Each structure stands twice: as C-alpha cells, then as structure tokens.
Amino acid sequence: MLLSGIVLCGCAAMAAEKPWKHGQLKVSDNSLYLSHTDGTPFFWLGDTGWLLPQRLDRDEAAYYLKRCGEAGYNVVQIQVINGIPAFNTYGQMSMPDGFDFSNIDKPGVYGYWDHMDYIIDMAERNGIYIGMVCIWGGMVKAGMMNEEQAVAYGTFLANRYKDKPNIVWIMGGDVQGDIHPEVWDTLARTIRSIDKNHAMTYHPRGRHTSAQWFADREWLDFHMFQSGHRRYNQRMGNKNYPIQEGTEEDSWMYVDSTRVHAPLRPVLDGEPSYEDIPQGLHGADEPRWSAKDVRRYAYWSVFAGSCGHTYGHNSIMQFVRPGVNGAYFADGIEKPWYKALDDDGFNQMVHLKRLMLAFPYFERVADQSVIRDNGVRYDRLIATRGNDYVMVYNHTGRPMDIDLRKISGREHNAWWMDAATGTVKYIGKAGKDIRYTPESDADGVLIVADVKSGYLTPETTSLVSLPKPEKRDLTE
C-alpha cells in the first residue's frame, strides 16, 4: 500500500503551490511576522522530520513530503547530520574525509549529499521549505566541531545550497546557546557570508528561547523557542530549571518573554509537545500528548503573536517502522511513521494556517484585554485581533465574555470554528460585546468581525476556499 502511494506522488507534487514564487522570505515591515519580498504573508506551518535524511530512502522521502504538502505544511525541519559522521539508509556517510569536503562527490556513487539534494528537490516540488538544522547541538556540546571546522562545514553547506529556493538555515539543535556560542556564531556567519538569500534562526533547548543568547546577532532573522514536552509541575528533578514551576505548558509565555529583547524579531515555537509522545518524554507509563493537546500548544502560541508553528509526532520525527523502534517509547510496529501520517493532530494543523491567512495578516496583534474574567491553565482564553476582527481560542469550552470595543463597527457577526475539524458555524450578531458558551467541551475559536468586513458570511462553513483578504495599510 505504501509503494502505491509513492508511485503516484510525482504528478500531484508538480501541482503544489511554490511559495517562493512571491520572492525570498524576509521579516515583515512591523518586525512581527515573516513575508515574501512582494509582501505576501508567510505563515510558517512546519512538521518535524528530524531523521528524514538518515532513515528514509528516495521513495519514502517522496511519499512523506507529498503527504506533508497535502496536509498544508510548508516547512519540514530536519537534522542535516545527527552524527560525525552521519549515515543514511543507503549506508553512505556524511563526512568520509572529516571536515574536508573537496572530494565529497564521488563518480558513480549516490552519496549522502546526493540524497540530501534529492530530499530538498522533492520538498521544492511539494512547495515545502527544508529547515536545515545544520548539525545537532549535542555534537557541538561534545566538542566534535570547533570554529575552524565550522568554517569548512559552513562553506560547504552554503555553496551547495545557496541557489536552492526552499532553504531555511537553523543553528543549534536542542542545545543552550551559551554552550560554545563561538561555534554557532562562526557557522552562522560563514553561511551568511556566502548565502545572503535565505532566512536563519536558532533552535534552542527545551523551555528556552533563542533570544536569551542571540537577540543582538546580525545573522539571526527570527527567533525560535522550544516550549518542550513537560506537563504542569513535571519538574523531573531538574536543578537548573529556567522557568517558574507550574508554567510548563504555557507556550504563550515564550512569545511574551522573547518580545522583551531588542531588536524586535518574529518568533515561533520550533518544538512543542509532540503528538503521541509520553508527557515528560522519559516515562513509558506516562500519559501521551493527544491531538487536542498539540492543537492547544499551536493556538496558544500563534494567538500570543507567533509567526507560525511547528508540529511534531513521536513516530514521524524519528521515522520508526517495523524493525526500527525509536526513542521515547515509539513502537515501529504499533505506530510506524507512515500510519502516523493519518493521526488527527498531523492533519488538523492546516485549520490554524487557513484561519490566520483568512484575515488581514500583518495588522494582527495579541490582545488579552478583550477577555473579561479569564481563567488559568487549560481554562485560559487567548485572543488575537486586527482592526476589525477578533479571534479567541477556547480549549475547554468554558463560557466567554468578550469586549468588542477594540475593533471597528457597531454591529458584528460571530462564528465558532471547531479546531479539530475546521468547520465554521454562524452564531449570530453582536454589539459592543459578546457572551458565548460553546455547545461542547471541544476546543475551538470564537471569530467576531465587523459586519462590513466581508471576510466570512453567515453561510460560511469552511475556510478552505475563502478569497484572500485585501492588503491593508498598517498606518491607516
């Protein structure tokens, strides 16, 4: 069954929209979001495919990337190398001559970097950027790459991929930035000296944001944080805990904490809790994060002001299958990666992306002041709004009392969007405020807009085929 899907992938992939047709990625004029050079908004919707280069062959990689494109993802984050050297499924090593890459392409050999080229090209056909985590952080932490070697490696990577349209460079890799920062600076600046066309960020350790160490770096275009995989009060004996106990699941707080650093840059969660991974990672008997949990992480972060979000799945990120079990109790027989592609969370992230792009994008701000009588933890409502619309995410279906005086209009239309299905239901009209209690405890979004706005109509039932909102002058 898997092979039949792979065989069919070529033609479908050719039809995928290529976001880079709008130009290179850049920071938006208000420094909050990502856009293309022609002004088209870019909402980052990433999947986590860490071990894609090492564990999937050509057909499998093509199938996976096709499924990502169909599910609405426009970024896949990978570990370019997860070892020195790294080995792929063909037994080819990444660095047969160490950090000397002068003879890396051997005639007649489909080498490690040929396979990487293929993956990037297949992602391009599916309209997907590859988030290139150049070297996993643990190797730098262990002293396996120094500054001189970082120059050699960065020069090789930049020259090989600078002309690919679908690259985002990611320094770090689950590591604190104060561990050998000179190596990360050298790698980033070496790549940037050769490749000035692609965006760059840093993937930090759990419960950290890149702004803690690299807020002032000229090579960093946007920030990442890792909200991590622990539940409330799951301290797990950590002596160097960087956040207040009892806030572990509050992914929104990392957006707020990043905003205090200058200069202002876009930010997103590059590693939230993964679907079907044990809470806290290291206990086989711990409950696993569900689709509803991963939706909460996404909406909390984005409504707090993130420029996108990266989803992850325990089976997919390490590509387990029968005979290949992974870390964190991923069972390759019970849930191989290709079956995990059918899981709810993987296929529900697109509803968030469609919602964000259905309204004027760059004027959107986080605004908790519109919420009266807010709750805490899971009952916490979170709001984002533009000039004439407001959206409030509700995780538990609790009653809501929303002040509409921050948006234009004396009369407003209101809808409820089910976060799991993306279906939209018209609620009715409202004046200067709205009080609404969802029909169930299913999570969703209250959407309210000036009746003159025209983004949605009372007949709207889905966001799939809405016209794109008009561009807005941020100074109006």
Side-chain angles (χ1 to χ4, degrees):
M1 292 298 293
L2 180 57
L3 288 178
S4 65
I6 292 173
V7 171
L8 295 174
C9 76
C11 295
M14 291 300 289
E17 181 182 4
K18 310 300 192 295
W20 39 86
K21 74 179 183 180
H22 298 289
Q24 298 169 6
L25 287 182
K26 73 180 193 73
V27 175
S28 63
D29 292 342
N30 64 5
S31 300
L32 294 176
Y33 303 112
L34 297 175
S35 75
H36 295 281
T37 50
D38 71 353
T40 301
F42 179 77
F43 180 82
W44 174 298
L45 187 62
D47 185 39
T48 306
W50 290 139
L51 296 183
L52 167 59
Q54 292 82 33
R55 288 194 169 170
L56 297 193
D57 64 23
R58 288 168 63 93
D59 286 344
E60 291 166 335
Y63 177 73
Y64 164 68
L65 291 165
K66 171 180 177 288
R67 289 292 301 271
C68 285
E70 291 172 345
Y73 295 97
N74 51 24
V75 181
V76 169
Q77 294 175 196
I78 67 168
Q79 294 180 17
V80 175
I81 57 172
N82 67 333
I84 297 180
F87 290 84
N88 65 20
T89 190
Y90 297 105
Q92 296 296 316
M93 68 172 64
S94 60
M95 306 158 86
D97 301 315
F99 285 90
D100 179 1
F101 296 94
S102 60
N103 193 34
I104 197 68
D105 294 313
K106 295 180 170 54
V109 176
Y110 182 70
Y112 188 95
W113 297 101
D114 295 307
H115 192 48
M116 188 70 67
D117 299 345
Y118 174 81
I119 289 168
I120 292 169
D121 290 344
M122 287 307 302
E124 180 185 355
R125 294 178 66 184
N126 285 278
I128 293 171
Y129 288 89
I130 294 294
M132 305 274 280
V133 179
C134 302
I135 178 171
W136 200 239
M139 286 176 278
V140 173
K141 182 177 180 179
M144 299 174 69
M145 185 174 78
N146 59 32
E147 291 177 76
E148 181 180 356
Q149 292 164 333
V151 171
Y153 184 46
T155 300
F156 163 72
L157 286 177
N159 281 320
R160 193 172 188 101
Y161 297 118
K162 61 184 172 61
D163 295 325
K164 298 292 185 182
N166 59 323
I167 296 295
V168 176
W169 297 112
I170 304 179
M171 302 298 108
D174 196 32
V175 68
Q176 293 175 209
D178 55 357
I179 298 174
H180 296 305
E182 72 283 357
V183 174
W184 299 118
D185 281 329
T186 299
L187 180 62
R189 287 168 177 152
T190 299
I191 292 174
R192 180 66 83 214
S193 70
I194 298 168
D195 177 13
K196 297 177 173 58
N197 297 325
H198 295 117
M200 186 177 288
T201 187
Y202 184 95
H203 178 276
R205 184 75 169 165
R207 295 161 300 284
H208 288 281
T209 164
S210 59
Q212 293 171 242
W213 312 288
F214 301 114
D216 64 346
R217 295 306 200 270
E218 80 290 347
W219 51 261
L220 190 137
D221 296 296
F222 64 98
H223 289 297
M224 264 190 183
F225 60 89
Q226 181 187 159
S227 57
H229 306 272
R230 297 183 186 179
R231 65 173 177 267
Y232 287 125
N233 295 316
Q234 197 174 33
R235 191 179 184 94
M236 303 179 71
N238 194 321
K239 296 180 180 179
N240 300 311
Y241 215 52
I243 60 173
Q244 181 180 348
E245 188 170 2
T247 64
E248 289 80 358
E249 297 182 49
D250 292 339
S251 60
W252 49 267
M253 72 177 179
Y254 295 96
V255 183
D256 295 344
S257 67
T258 301
R259 290 277 189 262
V260 305
H261 293 273
L264 181 65
R265 302 183 197 267
V267 62
L268 63 87
D269 194 347
E271 187 172 334
S273 291
Y274 292 158
E275 188 171 14
D276 198 36
I277 205 167
Q279 295 177 8
L281 298 181
H282 304 297
D285 296 328
E286 294 284 358
R288 299 202 174 202
W289 294 112
S290 69
K292 188 176 182 181
D293 293 315
V294 300
R295 294 196 301 270
R296 171 171 52 86
Y297 272 82
Y299 282 85
W300 273 2
S301 172
V302 170
F303 278 35
S306 288
C307 64
H309 187 73
T310 298
Y311 160 88
H313 191 293
N314 194 20
S315 293
I316 297 172
M317 62 99 171
Q318 50 190 329
F319 297 97
V320 298
R321 55 153 69 93
V324 183
N325 284 340
Y328 314 118
F329 313 101
D331 190 325
I333 295 176
E334 180 180 350
K335 182 64 69 68
W337 67 268
Y338 42 85
K339 288 187 177 179
L341 295 173
D342 295 324
D343 277 9
D344 290 340
F346 178 84
N347 293 287
Q348 292 166 350
M349 292 294 108
V350 68
H351 305 316
L352 173 59
K353 175 184 171 186
R354 288 170 177 159
L355 179 64
M356 291 298 98
L357 295 177
F359 295 83
Y361 188 72
F362 298 113
E363 70 184 44
R364 183 176 69 86
V365 295
D367 190 351
Q368 291 298 91
S369 71
V370 304
I371 301 170
R372 301 189 182 104
D373 189 26
N374 207 346
V376 297
R377 293 196 177 184
Y378 302 130
D379 278 333
R380 185 180 196 271
L381 305 175
I382 189 161
T384 188
R385 67 167 180 84
N387 295 332
D388 55 5
Y389 68 91
V390 63
M391 295 180 275
V392 183
Y393 174 73
N394 186 330
H395 181 66
T396 60
R398 55 160 295 189
M400 293 182 282
D401 184 357
I402 308 302
D403 183 352
L404 302 179
R405 290 175 295 179
K406 287 288 190 75
I407 62 173
S408 66
R410 295 182 178 180
E411 190 175 37
H412 306 89
N413 283 321
W415 300 260
W416 176 258
M417 189 192 87
D418 187 302
T421 65
T423 57
V424 176
K425 180 180 179 180
Y426 182 65
I427 297 171
K429 285 187 164 49
K432 64 180 181 180
D433 55 29
I434 183 170
R435 294 173 179 83
Y436 178 68
T437 301
E439 296 176 357
S440 72
D441 61 359
D443 62 319
V445 179
L446 175 67
I447 306 168
V448 186
D450 188 332
V451 292
K452 298 178 182 179
S453 65
Y455 307 128
L456 310 179
T457 70
E459 293 73 37
T460 299
T461 59
S462 171
L463 302 179
V464 174
S465 57
L466 289 175
K468 293 182 179 180
E470 61 178 308
K471 291 184 179 180
R472 302 282 291 269
D473 182 354
L474 293 179
T475 64
E476 67 182 5

